[in-house]
Amino acid sequence: MAYVSVANESENSKYLLHFVLIFVSNAARFADAWLKGSKRKDQNLNYVILGFVGMMVSVWTLAGCILAVEYKFHIEVFAMLYIPVLCAFIAFYSMIFNAYKDLYLMLPTENRPFFGNKRYVVVFGLFHLSVAYGSLFLTESWPLCCLLTFASFIFLVNAWSCFFTDSYILCEHRRYEWDMKDQPTDGIICHVVVRRNSGEMEKLPIDVQFDDKLNTSILVYRVLESRRGSRKED
């Protein structure tokens, strides 16, 4: 009976592993096609939100894998999940990576999570702190779990602030810090209003655009020489 139980568990693990690999493979293909299909020269707010959420899910999945392996639950499956999860993390990170864009986005100072006292930052911080504290008693890998919990907190508050911001700023890249003093100051090219969070606003001031009708072709900005040489033509 013990042999049959072990055999069934092994068979179930194979099916689960097969399902996970198919899911990860299809998700990777979808993400690759999505990113390649985007020819925008500006950083997209929705991609940034998805990137932060994806990285948060990735670190929680990685923490779950650590606990599963430590408690010997489908070890062969969750041990093999480490690499796909890390690959997924890198893929989601590429969505917030702005070096390959001519214009990067920046939230207004008052909408940034660590500017002033934000209630959601305190709530999420207490939740993640309690999880990190609980990991001290659940696993011997608590230092890694605490690190992953801290990363999840950072990703979550950034995703939250990006999702609920009513506007953001598009800026051009500058090579050196002192170049930020050149006109336009701080490299600010355009203010963008997020329509879903802006209420019933109809008319916008000059040089301000809605995010769903953003037209970067009318914007005047500089491209760094290193970026100009490596950028692919659309």
Side-chain angles (χ1 to χ4, degrees):
M1 294 296 293
Y3 174 77
V4 174
S5 177
V6 172
N8 289 337
E9 183 177 350
S10 178
E11 190 69 20
N12 292 335
S13 298
K14 290 181 180 179
Y15 285 128
L16 179 59
L17 177 60
H18 187 63
F19 170 78
V20 169
L21 291 178
I22 291 177
F23 175 79
V24 172
S25 176
N26 290 332
R29 291 177 183 176
F30 174 76
D32 181 65
W34 190 17
L35 290 174
K36 285 183 178 179
S38 174
K39 296 184 178 180
R40 298 176 62 123
K41 297 178 181 179
D42 60 296
Q43 194 175 17
N44 185 278
L45 181 64
N46 292 327
Y47 282 12
V48 172
I49 296 172
L50 180 60
F52 279 125
V53 172
M55 288 192 295
M56 181 186 66
V57 173
S58 296
V59 297
W60 278 103
T61 304
L62 190 58
C65 291
I66 293 173
L67 292 176
V69 170
E70 189 164 321
Y71 283 92
K72 299 181 180 180
F73 178 75
H74 295 295
I75 296 179
E76 63 275 16
V77 175
F78 288 99
M80 292 185 66
L81 269 180
Y82 284 127
I83 294 179
V85 170
L86 290 175
C87 291
F89 180 88
I90 295 173
F92 284 117
Y93 174 75
S94 68
M95 294 184 177
I96 70 170
F97 189 64
N98 59 44
Y100 57 86
K101 297 293 185 181
D102 293 340
L103 299 173
Y104 66 92
L105 68 84
M106 180 174 60
L107 296 184
T109 304
E110 63 275 10
N111 292 344
R112 297 173 191 174
F114 300 108
F115 178 82
N117 296 320
K118 300 291 194 304
R119 185 176 302 175
Y120 67 89
V121 175
V122 176
V123 173
F124 293 150
L126 291 175
F127 169 75
H128 284 82
L129 185 62
S130 63
V131 172
Y133 180 75
S135 69
L136 299 176
F137 306 97
L138 291 177
T139 174
E140 295 179 355
S141 303
W142 62 266
L144 182 56
C145 288
C146 288
L147 179 62
L148 293 174
T149 303
F150 175 73
S152 171
F153 166 68
I154 297 298
F155 300 149
L156 179 57
V157 295
N158 277 284
W160 184 279
S161 60
C162 288
F163 186 82
F164 288 102
T165 186
D166 55 358
S167 65
Y168 62 91
I169 306 167
L170 286 179
C171 305
E172 65 181 14
H173 291 277
R174 298 288 175 86
R175 186 178 299 277
Y176 303 109
E177 184 177 355
W178 53 82
D179 291 339
M180 303 300 284
K181 298 179 181 179
D182 297 340
Q183 293 296 325
T185 306
D186 294 333
I188 296 176
I189 300 300
C190 178
H191 291 266
V192 183
V193 174
V194 181
R195 190 184 293 274
R196 67 171 179 269
N197 298 329
S198 60
E200 299 180 354
M201 185 181 298
E202 295 293 338
K203 295 183 179 180
L204 297 175
I206 300 176
D207 296 332
V208 179
Q209 301 186 46
F210 280 116
D211 62 322
D212 57 347
K213 293 184 178 180
L214 182 61
N215 182 10
T216 58
S217 63
I218 64 175
L219 301 178
V220 179
Y221 56 90
R222 293 174 293 180
V223 180
L224 294 178
E225 289 296 331
S226 58
R227 293 262 314 114
R228 187 181 294 114
S230 61
R231 189 179 67 192
K232 295 181 179 180
E233 296 296 333
D234 294 340

